[in-house]
Amino acid sequence: MPIHATMTGSWFRPKEIASLLVQSPTGELGPEHGQLVEEAERTAIREQLHPHGSQVGLTFVSNGEQRKAGYTNFLPNRFDGFSKTERTGMQFPPVLIQEFQESNPALLQALQGQQGGPFVAPAIESRLVYRGASLAQEEARQAARLAKEEKAPRIFVPSPSPGVTTIFFPRSGVYATHRDYLFDLAKELRKEYQAILSVDGVDLQIDAPDLAMGRNTASWGADFYDLLPQHVDAINEAIAGLPRDRIRVHYCYGNYLASHRNDPEYARVLREIVRLKAGTIVGEAANPRHEGDALILEDYVKEHGWPQGLRFAVGVVDVKTPFVETPETIAARLERFGRIEGFDPKNLLGGTDCGFQTFLGFDNVTHEVALHKLEALGKGAALASKRLGVT
């Protein structure tokens, strides 16, 4: 089986969709905008399958999150328990502020100067109760239909992890402890995961940047490494008994331009994420900070082996730089993983470090550059397949 190419969820929203999302009080577009959303999702799928009209593109595509202002913003639209009037801002921990000050002070100033945007959200006023199953199911149904019409071999719909939800929606006094909040979210978000997976032909991607990014961006009041096992356990509890081969979990270190020198140690993150009861993990490994993670994974596999039935969509495209990777660069990155002794290259996919527009207006490269990157990704995965003998 060849190495398939995929990406990490979010794609560029067209102007018409963007203007509506800016005005949306829910962070999500409703059925009254169904035609526009369908057109945007179809375009997103086509551009992944055939970037710049290429016949070599991605195999596993997403709906591009076109109906949502961001990968977490829409949650208040699907839960009871959020305040209709009170809003609260995500608190940037001192370590993140220090990193921005030394490596990207302009971004820090822009983020701190925001009166709204993705990092200001409704406050929690009572225990969160999920009520969005019909919305999630309808989104998945449309994804399945569009994938069939556009001849996409496989499509996934993203949804946030319990842990990343705790970052963007800070715990209030409603929950006694972080653990209480985390596992209550796991119980409720399971309902969304079930709704997505109830639709044949659709995979679920759980967006879980908390498994790495949380060290720099979360205000949990406890050590990141102490909480990390709980965050993995919360995901496993939320997906227990669901079809493993249709579940992907994405981890990353944060889709922001900075030094990332305070990112957690990959060796300590890796030993936890391999406990995930998912079929595929989708991780960051293309940028200068994390390209060397291949060596750490090699050491881990040598000592512990690789979990049976677990696939790895390795980030071989950096979504934070306008440099466009060549197919050869992508193939070389994939080969580093595919030639690790004890790691079967049949478990390997080529992916992107993160999404291209995780929040509305929050992107690091242009649409045009992103298309070039996806075209190179498709060609690079094909080249790596040939070189690794898995065509």
Side-chain angles (χ1 to χ4, degrees):
M1 183 174 65
I3 296 171
H4 294 293
T6 187
M7 72 163 199
T8 312
S10 62
W11 191 242
F12 300 86
R13 285 92 171 168
K15 289 180 180 179
E16 298 86 351
I17 292 284
S19 62
L20 289 169
L21 285 169
V22 167
Q23 300 169 38
S24 171
T26 64
E28 182 172 17
L29 298 183
E32 68 274 20
H33 303 296
Q35 175 101 30
L36 268 177
V37 169
E38 178 176 334
E39 290 173 2
E41 289 180 345
R42 188 184 299 277
T43 297
I45 292 168
R46 284 178 175 174
E47 290 186 333
Q48 292 168 66
L49 290 171
H50 306 291
H52 282 307
S54 173
Q55 292 305 304
V56 182
L58 307 191
T59 306
F60 300 164
V61 302
S62 84
N63 66 349
E65 302 179 42
Q66 297 297 294
R67 67 188 65 206
K68 303 166 184 173
Y71 73 101
T72 57
N73 301 68
F74 70 98
L75 287 179
N77 192 45
R78 298 190 182 185
F79 277 88
D80 287 331
F82 286 103
S83 173
K84 303 296 184 185
T85 55
E86 185 184 353
R87 297 176 69 80
T88 182
M90 173 183 164
Q91 299 299 310
F92 295 146
V95 66
L96 183 62
I97 293 175
Q98 180 184 3
E99 184 172 308
F100 280 149
Q101 286 173 336
E102 70 178 19
S103 62
N104 196 341
L107 179 58
L108 176 63
Q109 185 176 12
L111 293 175
Q112 290 180 329
Q114 284 189 344
Q115 298 301 310
F119 308 114
V120 178
I124 298 170
E125 62 182 12
S126 61
R127 279 192 175 262
L128 300 181
V129 177
Y130 185 76
R131 58 172 178 79
S134 61
L135 294 172
Q137 195 171 57
E138 177 55 33
E139 181 181 6
R141 283 182 182 139
Q142 181 153 301
R145 178 173 59 81
L146 291 175
K148 184 176 182 180
E149 291 172 3
E150 298 300 326
K151 297 180 172 53
R154 204 156 172 176
I155 193 166
F156 63 91
V157 172
S159 182
S161 70
V164 81
T165 305
T166 70
I167 295 178
F168 289 100
F169 300 94
R171 174 172 65 90
S172 71
V174 169
Y175 296 95
T177 65
H178 176 75
R179 182 182 177 84
D180 181 28
Y181 182 27
L182 179 68
F183 282 90
D184 209 54
L185 282 168
K187 181 184 70 175
E188 295 301 319
L189 280 168
R190 175 180 173 84
K191 299 170 187 176
E192 167 135 319
Y193 304 161
Q194 288 174 313
I196 292 170
L197 291 169
S198 71
V199 178
D200 290 340
V202 176
D203 292 346
L204 163 70
Q205 176 173 290
I206 299 175
D207 287 328
D210 53 296
L211 302 182
M213 179 187 80
R215 186 178 190 224
N216 291 337
T217 61
S219 298
W220 291 325
D223 182 73
F224 166 78
Y225 294 113
D226 289 342
L227 293 179
L228 180 57
Q230 295 181 25
H231 283 236
V232 172
D233 290 343
I235 293 174
N236 284 341
E237 186 172 298
I239 62 176
L242 300 181
R244 179 175 181 174
D245 64 325
R246 293 172 57 199
I247 300 172
R248 307 156 41 124
V249 177
H250 166 62
Y251 75 90
C252 73
Y253 300 85
N255 193 5
Y256 55 84
L257 281 170
S259 63
H260 284 269
R261 68 181 186 86
N262 296 304
D263 287 353
E265 299 171 35
Y266 184 57
R268 298 180 72 175
V269 170
L270 177 62
R271 71 189 186 202
E272 292 298 329
I273 61 176
V274 294
R275 293 198 301 110
L276 289 163
K277 303 303 182 184
T280 304
I281 56 173
V282 184
E284 179 173 349
N287 63 66
R289 183 70 185 183
H290 293 287
E291 192 169 3
D293 287 355
L295 299 180
I296 297 170
L297 187 136
E298 182 176 11
D299 289 342
Y300 179 88
V301 172
K302 187 181 299 183
E303 184 174 354
H304 304 284
W306 184 253
Q308 187 173 1
L310 183 63
R311 304 184 74 193
F312 191 5
V314 176
V316 288
V317 167
D318 185 355
V319 300
K320 295 187 288 293
T321 175
F323 280 82
V324 176
E325 296 85 353
T326 65
E328 290 77 14
T329 296
I330 287 166
R333 289 171 174 169
L334 287 169
E335 276 195 70
R336 291 181 71 183
F337 286 87
R339 296 196 185 280
I340 291 174
E341 187 176 351
F343 182 88
D344 190 337
K346 293 179 180 178
N347 290 324
L348 186 64
L349 295 89
T352 60
D353 275 357
C354 199
F356 282 97
Q357 195 178 76
T358 51
F359 297 103
L360 183 64
F362 196 82
D363 41 76
N364 297 305
V365 301
T366 65
H367 180 211
E368 186 69 16
V369 164
L371 288 169
H372 287 302
K373 284 175 175 283
L374 292 192
E375 184 178 8
L377 174 56
K379 292 178 178 178
L383 177 59
S385 298
K386 182 178 180 180
R387 291 176 60 86
L388 289 167
V390 290
T391 54

